[in-house]
Amino acid sequence: MTDRSLGRRAATGLGLGVILGARGAAAQGAPWPDRPVRLIAAGAAGSGIDLIARLLAEGLSPRLGQPVVVDNRAAGGMAIAGEAHAAARPGEALLLAPSAIASTVPYTFDGRLPYDPEQDLVPLGVVASEFLCLAVTAGSPVHDMPALVGAARAAPGMLNWYSVPGFMELAFRWFLHRHGMDMAYVAYRGSPQAVLDLVAGRIQVAILPLTPALAAIRQGTIRALAVTSQHRSPSLPEVPTMAEAGAPGLAYDPFTALFGWRGMPEAARQKVAAALADALRDNDYAARLGQAGMVPQSGSAAALAEVIAKQRDQVQTAMRTIGARRAG
């Protein structure tokens, strides 16, 4: 082997090393996202959160330049979704959940919370608001909130109820306490199953998102007494708000929010914010949400932080009165 060939091999090796080093450096400093992103959804398949997640995944994928894949993590009072998000590698996942995952669950979860609501849930924005309704079985003699109070008082312990986890569950426990109502709480992994049991009469009262409940309400197999939001739902304009129905303590506007990961770089936050704002302007997104009984929102990270702070105040006020899991 000649000195010239050795020189060529050395040069080739050096060149390859420079190329590989450059590739390694590029990979290490590659802008986020450089691989598919999981969108962890704190809701079961068929729920409102699931629908929002799938619409967002469609909208964010082309804007982020990577596939966004929905990963449903239901049950556990949203703690399972929060835990999955906290356990994911940095940059691997985003979390879609009701704002209650940061404002309510930290105060109502029984045991050690498997995520840090301050560090693991980085507010990115409000993406939708979902109407909640209080509904009863179709055969129930109850047609308004005063009648519900009367029925529960007349049959202590005989009526079963369910609520979506978070502030509304706590608020309804407070409502029962204030009105001297004895009702048994039944837990579900998600609202779709609760709707089926309400239709079948296995539970008699439920606070549900309109998305899984709307078809049953329109078919007359369950009856909506009131919606929790400040304004009536465009999907059910004949159904009063809680304030109109005489139960202002049950008024609540539920927001669905997008969260980033612990230590999320500012560049990644700005990229998501821009992609999210653009996706939420899509008319198809608004139309499909409206058909499911929801309203699109485009709140900023600061607006989400404000919502969470307000809800935390509401939760702490309620808990000072009744505690988190007081029997019905």
Side-chain angles (χ1 to χ4, degrees):
M1 186 175 293
T2 66
D3 292 342
R4 184 175 297 179
S5 63
L6 279 172
R8 282 199 299 268
R9 290 184 63 183
T12 302
L14 178 61
L16 182 59
V18 170
I19 292 170
L20 290 177
R23 287 179 178 174
Q28 187 177 8
W32 181 89
D34 59 351
R35 64 192 67 188
V37 178
R38 278 196 300 147
L39 181 57
I40 298 172
S47 66
I49 294 289
D50 178 60
L51 173 62
I52 297 169
R54 295 186 186 282
L55 292 178
L56 272 187
E58 289 179 14
L60 291 177
S61 290
R63 292 169 173 89
L64 293 179
Q66 290 287 347
V68 177
V69 182
V70 176
D71 180 5
N72 292 92
R73 299 295 180 104
M78 292 183 271
I80 289 177
E83 181 179 21
H85 179 62
R89 294 189 305 273
E92 177 190 3
L94 299 172
L95 173 66
L96 184 76
S99 54
I101 197 170
S103 65
T104 305
V105 178
Y107 299 96
T108 60
F109 187 74
D110 186 13
R112 183 177 179 275
L113 195 65
Y115 63 90
D116 185 331
E118 298 290 344
Q119 300 296 323
D120 293 324
L121 306 180
V122 175
L124 296 178
V126 178
V127 300
S129 58
E130 188 170 11
F131 286 95
L132 300 178
C133 69
L134 188 150
V136 297
T137 54
S140 171
V142 171
H143 287 264
D144 54 34
M145 294 301 291
L148 175 60
V149 173
R153 286 175 172 171
M158 299 302 293
L159 300 181
N160 297 330
W161 70 283
Y162 162 77
S163 171
V164 291
F167 177 75
M168 280 314 303
E169 180 189 338
L170 185 60
F172 195 68
R173 290 181 187 278
W174 193 6
F175 181 80
L176 297 178
H177 173 77
R178 289 179 59 203
H179 291 278
M181 301 160 66
D182 180 9
M183 295 171 59
Y185 179 74
V186 180
Y188 289 91
R189 288 181 60 86
S191 295
Q193 183 59 49
V195 173
L196 295 178
D197 277 7
L198 186 63
V199 170
R202 287 185 281 270
I203 57 174
Q204 290 75 46
V205 181
I207 300 175
L208 302 158
L210 278 191
T211 304
L214 194 55
I217 294 170
R218 287 173 170 167
Q219 292 163 7
T221 53
I222 63 176
R223 180 186 309 124
L225 301 187
V227 294
T228 69
S229 304
Q230 278 188 308
H231 305 288
R232 295 192 180 197
S233 165
S235 302
L236 296 172
E238 72 281 4
V239 176
T241 65
M242 283 293 182
E244 292 171 335
L250 293 176
Y252 178 68
D253 284 286
F255 292 100
T256 300
L258 188 66
F259 297 93
W261 62 91
R262 178 189 289 250
M264 186 176 189
E266 183 60 28
R269 295 179 68 171
Q270 290 180 3
K271 187 166 187 177
V272 173
L276 185 61
D278 194 42
L280 296 182
R281 283 193 290 265
D282 191 295
N283 291 332
D284 184 57
Y285 173 79
R288 291 166 72 180
L289 280 185
Q291 290 168 4
M294 292 180 282
V295 178
Q297 301 286 345
S298 57
S300 64
L304 174 55
E306 185 177 337
V307 165
I308 291 170
K310 180 180 178 181
Q311 291 176 352
R312 282 177 179 169
D313 288 343
Q314 290 177 303
V315 170
Q316 290 170 348
T317 299
M319 288 189 64
R320 281 195 292 268
T321 305
I322 63 167
R325 284 282 183 184
R326 193 172 209 174

